[in-house]
Amino acid sequence: MAKTKTRDPLGPLDVITAIFAGLFLTALLIGVIAVTVSDNASMLGFGEDDVCVTSQSGYASVQGGGETSDVDRQLDGLKRHVTTFPDSTTVCDREPTVWAKALNVLTQAPTFVAFLGFILLARRTITYAQRNGLFSHALAERVERLGWLLLLALVGSALVEWLAEGLLLSTMATRESWASGSFGVSVPGIIGAYGLVSIGRIMNRAAALQADADATI
Amino acid sequence: MSDHRIRVTLDEMLERRGMTLTELAVAVDISLVNLSILKTGKAKAIRFSTLTRICEVLDCQPGDLLAYDDNR
């Protein structure tokens, strides 16, 4: 009799996570090599000659403010009652100090590190589930922990980036304070982390039911 | 620690019938591992279908296989 092949329910998830982890790590490797070898390459703030940061405050010296002229309207294809405003300004330092370069890295790297860490931990959790089964307290706790870690990583990285941006702006412009950076946290990421915590807790209850079922003869 | 005081008396019944656990496993079509779990009292529950098959083979009543033990 032909043996029926059981399908691995975590197979597709494993493949997708492996592809993401591979892409992230390859991009990281290529970036590190490019920054080391080339003078023009940059990655996550490393290897940049100019340090630039976006400010939400308006600067009088910046061109383009004020009422839109008729010539600009025609060029941009804007109607008479429509006006445009620059909502942010990119501030660049052409002679950055080591401190400014370090802050520049901190405005970009934390989110990448958080996502890379999450992908690697998710892959580890999937491998653990494939080896030890789907219904166990240990796996449920791992899933819940993964959710909390993602939540902390997202909020933590957003805080570090906000603080680094503010500090960087304050080193470039005296009117900017250390708190003038823009705070942006991924809302879908937060919802996803909350979902993971919830699934972990549900799995914990399911593991108890599975243990009872396993001990029934 | 176990949360119940029910003792499975399967080994005593097997001894009375002159049957081994392996023979019972074959006769009732239950794995030896599961029957061993049942015999050693590590099982949390027993299905009516399992109980029916064991009773059929051993020609006994469910009460002959289970006992309330106050000292457990």
Side-chain angles (χ1 to χ4, degrees):
Chain A
M1 204 175 119
K3 231 180 177 180
T4 48
K5 199 180 170 189
T6 49
R7 191 173 164 270
D8 177 15
L10 294 173
L13 208 58
D14 185 35
V15 172
I16 290 167
T17 324
I19 290 170
F20 268 110
L23 284 173
F24 266 94
L25 289 172
T26 310
L28 188 68
L29 190 70
I30 291 170
V32 168
I33 293 169
V35 168
T36 315
V37 175
S38 169
D39 288 339
N40 300 323
S42 69
M43 185 195 66
L44 300 170
F46 288 101
E48 284 177 4
D49 295 330
D50 293 358
V51 164
C52 293
V53 66
T54 304
S55 170
Q56 302 301 319
S57 326
Y59 283 88
S61 59
V62 176
Q63 302 276 316
E67 189 71 24
T68 312
S69 70
D70 287 341
V71 179
D72 287 342
R73 268 179 212 290
Q74 278 189 336
L75 280 172
D76 294 336
L78 296 174
K79 290 181 180 171
R80 280 201 71 78
H81 51 86
V82 177
T83 48
T84 59
F85 297 97
D87 67 337
S88 61
T89 313
T90 303
V91 187
C92 289
D93 186 353
R94 279 174 290 176
E95 291 169 3
T97 59
V98 177
W99 170 238
K101 282 184 175 180
L103 286 174
N104 185 39
V105 170
L106 285 176
T107 61
Q108 299 173 49
T111 301
F112 179 83
V113 173
F115 274 103
L116 182 63
F118 171 72
I119 291 285
L120 294 176
L121 281 175
R123 187 153 163 64
R124 221 176 116 192
T125 307
I126 291 166
T127 312
Y128 181 87
Q130 282 175 322
R131 280 192 197 141
N132 302 294
L134 284 172
F135 300 101
S136 68
H137 288 291
L139 179 66
E141 277 163 18
R142 272 173 186 248
V143 171
E144 192 182 335
R145 214 180 306 139
L146 189 65
W148 283 119
L149 278 174
L150 179 62
L151 198 70
L152 283 175
L154 284 172
V155 175
S157 59
L159 270 174
V160 170
E161 285 173 5
W162 164 73
L163 200 62
E165 210 176 290
L167 286 170
L168 193 55
L169 271 170
S170 67
T171 62
M172 291 182 188
T174 48
R175 58 181 261 194
E176 301 277 8
S177 77
W178 61 271
S180 54
S182 57
F183 184 83
V185 65
S186 164
V187 175
I190 297 285
I191 293 168
Y194 178 71
L196 273 177
V197 172
S198 306
I199 288 169
R201 289 192 175 180
I202 292 165
M203 281 174 73
N204 216 347
R205 298 297 294 269
L209 294 174
Q210 184 66 38
D212 278 352
D214 288 344
T216 302
I217 306 299
Chain B
M1 201 185 138
S2 180
D3 57 352
H4 66 81
R5 289 177 182 172
I6 300 298
R7 187 165 57 87
V8 179
T9 56
L10 186 63
D11 49 348
E12 292 158 31
M13 184 56 74
L14 283 171
E15 205 179 313
R16 262 181 264 155
R17 298 285 188 267
M19 206 175 188
T20 64
L21 199 66
T22 313
E23 286 168 344
L24 181 68
V26 174
V28 297
D29 195 23
I30 293 174
S31 72
L32 186 61
V33 176
N34 278 346
L35 268 188
S36 181
I37 290 169
L38 186 63
K39 197 188 93 170
T40 51
K42 286 174 186 164
K44 276 194 175 179
I46 180 165
R47 290 189 187 91
F48 285 149
S49 57
T50 308
L51 212 48
T52 304
R53 276 184 279 165
I54 294 173
C55 287
E56 274 170 5
V57 172
L58 295 177
D59 189 26
C60 64
Q61 290 296 314
D64 298 332
L65 297 168
L66 304 169
Y68 175 76
D69 191 344
D70 208 15
N71 299 320
R72 271 175 74 100

